[in-house]
Amino acid sequence: MIDPWGSSIIDYEKLTEQFGIKAFKDVLEDIPDASKLMTRGIIFGQRDYKRIADSLKNNKEFATMTGMMPSGRMHIGHKMVVDQLKWYQKKGSDIYLSIADMEAYAARGISKEESRELALTEYIENYIALGLDVTKDNFHLYLQSENEEVKNLAYLIGKKVTFSQMRSIYGFDNSTNVAHIYTPLLQVADILHPQLEKYGGPKPVIVPVGPDQDPHIRLTRDLAAKFNDEYGFIEPSATFHRFMTGLTGEKMSSSKPKTAIYLTDSIKDATKKVKSAKTGGRDSLKEQKELGGQPDQCSIYELLVYHLVEDDEKLENVRQKCLSGEILCGNCKQCAVELLTDMFEDLDSKREEAHEIAKDLL
């Protein structure tokens, strides 16, 4: 069972086998100008992506839908979602972004006011500073609690969901509060509502998420099929990206400061975390030079792969030198520090303007 509100490391192979997620590499050649997250295998799984690939190749209408539950600070791992939204926006997709304030209240006890403030100052400002264009007419940002279409749709689709289903999908039991039991229906409504007549009617929708959100995807696809006759819903597609390893070796988490680089960290604090991060290095200098490093077990190399090195050839050069023992962990950390400093300086320079834009969005 996968817990969308938990923080456990996902077994990607088991997930794929047990729940029928397909390999993303199977559709990669069908995607024009695939993103780095796709070509580097960071996006590893998909459901029904051929529908989206067809829209991309033939300039057909489609929408991209994702959301955030504002319960902590935005860390560098969250940047993957922004990068995907930017890529789809450039491809002409409508963008729908839900602030899951009702879910944050039910699952974390966070008030609507806190959710709104945290979403704007910690997330949306960074989304804008990272390059997402929120001024376009096809960008839709909303609070769950203030979107009547979403709330009404969640109530209506609840007609065809039983508690037994919710328990089997999410592990709810007699101690689970009713508001929490209801929040998956809001997630389903978030994903389906871009297909309502108000928003142009049925169309393919892609939902880029981490694998912990697959229970919501499976429930949504099931309910889309059940309400097809009534609404004409097309079952939404999804992609699944790998989680970043935290700087301590566990999953990167907003609630565990030592694991994460927050996008609002000072450059001094961010680089200090990099310098103390767990690497794939050997126990001794002698062993490192003889056996080489282990980049696939290194949080620093992940930073380069996910966010800091755009050039594939340069990245492969780092990998091979690590494997051969030609470069040491200190060299890679210094490289990451320099690249991260450039990234954070750019973010800092854009955040003031992003603040002025964000405050007028809700």
Side-chain angles (χ1 to χ4, degrees):
M1 185 174 293
I2 304 169
D3 180 6
W5 303 279
S7 58
S8 59
I9 296 285
I10 298 292
D11 183 330
Y12 299 110
E13 289 187 9
K14 185 176 180 181
L15 177 75
T16 302
E17 293 172 3
Q18 186 171 348
F19 295 105
I21 290 176
K22 305 298 183 185
F24 192 80
K25 63 183 180 181
D26 293 345
V27 297
L28 191 57
E29 64 181 22
D30 297 326
I31 303 169
D33 187 29
S35 71
K36 294 296 183 186
L37 293 176
M38 296 172 176
T39 58
R40 293 179 179 178
I42 298 167
I43 297 174
F44 73 94
Q46 50 92 13
R47 289 192 185 277
D48 205 10
Y49 197 83
K50 286 189 178 295
R51 198 188 304 274
I52 303 301
D54 177 65
S55 295
L56 288 166
K57 284 194 297 184
N58 297 296
N59 294 316
K60 295 179 181 178
E61 181 186 13
F62 73 103
T64 305
M65 198 286 141
T66 192
M68 67 181 78
M69 184 174 74
S71 60
R73 297 173 66 188
M74 183 176 177
H75 60 65
I76 199 167
H78 295 133
K79 178 176 173 290
M80 279 185 286
V81 175
V82 185
D83 290 339
Q84 292 176 77
L85 293 179
K86 286 165 55 182
W87 188 83
Y88 285 115
Q89 190 174 56
K90 288 179 181 177
K91 297 294 183 182
S93 173
D94 290 353
I95 304 295
Y96 291 81
L97 181 56
S98 166
I99 299 173
D101 59 333
M102 294 178 75
E103 181 183 8
Y105 174 73
R108 299 281 190 268
I110 298 172
S111 70
K112 175 182 174 179
E113 292 73 21
E114 289 176 295
S115 287
R116 181 185 181 279
E117 183 65 19
L118 190 58
L120 287 175
T121 60
E122 191 64 38
Y123 287 83
I124 302 303
E125 284 184 18
N126 280 311
Y127 280 33
I128 297 168
L130 287 166
L132 184 66
D133 189 347
V134 301
T135 65
K136 289 191 172 183
D137 291 338
N138 63 356
F139 177 82
H140 309 270
L141 174 71
Y142 62 91
L143 290 156
Q144 277 180 337
S145 63
E146 295 183 1
N147 189 312
E148 296 302 318
E149 288 82 14
V150 167
K151 290 190 292 184
N152 289 339
L153 185 57
Y155 177 78
L156 292 171
I157 60 180
K159 177 75 172 178
K160 295 189 178 180
V161 183
T162 66
F163 178 68
S164 177
Q165 284 178 286
M166 299 294 269
R167 181 171 53 199
S168 67
I169 296 172
Y170 297 102
F172 293 147
D173 57 32
N174 292 339
S175 67
T176 308
N177 72 72
V178 175
H180 194 174
I181 295 170
Y182 179 67
T183 55
L185 297 179
L186 287 166
Q187 294 265 13
V188 172
D190 279 329
I191 296 169
L192 292 180
H193 92 279
Q195 299 191 58
L196 295 174
E197 288 303 319
K198 178 178 178 178
Y199 301 100
K203 64 179 74 66
V205 175
I206 179 63
V207 190
V209 290
D212 59 337
Q213 301 301 301
D214 186 51
H216 298 320
I217 301 299
R218 284 185 275 121
L219 178 61
T220 304
R221 286 173 58 82
D222 177 60
L223 288 170
K226 288 180 178 178
F227 282 89
N228 177 266
D229 289 343
E230 186 173 348
Y231 290 98
F233 287 143
I234 297 170
E235 292 179 35
S237 306
T239 58
F240 303 92
H241 54 256
R242 298 179 185 275
F243 292 124
M244 283 194 73
T245 305
L247 302 176
T248 57
E250 55 188 315
K251 179 188 170 185
M252 191 173 287
S253 171
S254 293
S255 61
K256 297 179 179 180
K258 291 183 179 180
T259 71
I261 296 172
Y262 301 116
L263 294 186
T264 49
D265 274 342
S266 67
I267 293 176
K268 180 180 177 181
D269 287 343
T271 55
K272 183 180 179 180
K273 289 178 180 180
V274 169
K275 290 176 182 178
S276 61
K278 182 179 182 295
T279 68
R282 304 291 181 174
D283 292 335
S284 68
L285 180 61
K286 181 176 181 292
E287 190 178 357
Q288 177 89 357
K289 289 184 175 180
E290 289 177 352
L291 300 177
Q294 304 170 92
D296 294 332
Q297 299 177 32
C298 180
S299 63
I300 298 300
Y301 182 69
E302 267 199 16
L303 273 176
L304 303 181
V305 173
Y306 282 59
H307 302 298
L308 299 180
V309 176
E310 184 69 18
D311 187 279
D312 288 337
E313 187 175 336
K314 183 181 293 186
L315 187 65
E316 181 60 21
N317 185 46
V318 172
R319 179 181 176 81
Q320 292 306 318
K321 286 185 175 180
C322 175
L323 288 168
S324 68
E326 185 178 344
I327 57 172
L328 304 178
C329 297
N331 302 124
C332 275
K333 284 187 174 182
Q334 184 56 38
C335 174
V337 163
E338 292 171 4
L339 293 170
L340 191 68
T341 297
D342 289 343
M343 174 184 163
F344 269 52
E345 286 178 345
D346 185 57
L347 268 177
D348 288 346
S349 70
K350 294 175 178 176
R351 197 172 279 120
E352 185 175 344
E353 181 183 356
H355 174 75
E356 293 302 311
I357 297 171
K359 69 181 184 180
D360 296 325
L361 289 177
L362 292 175

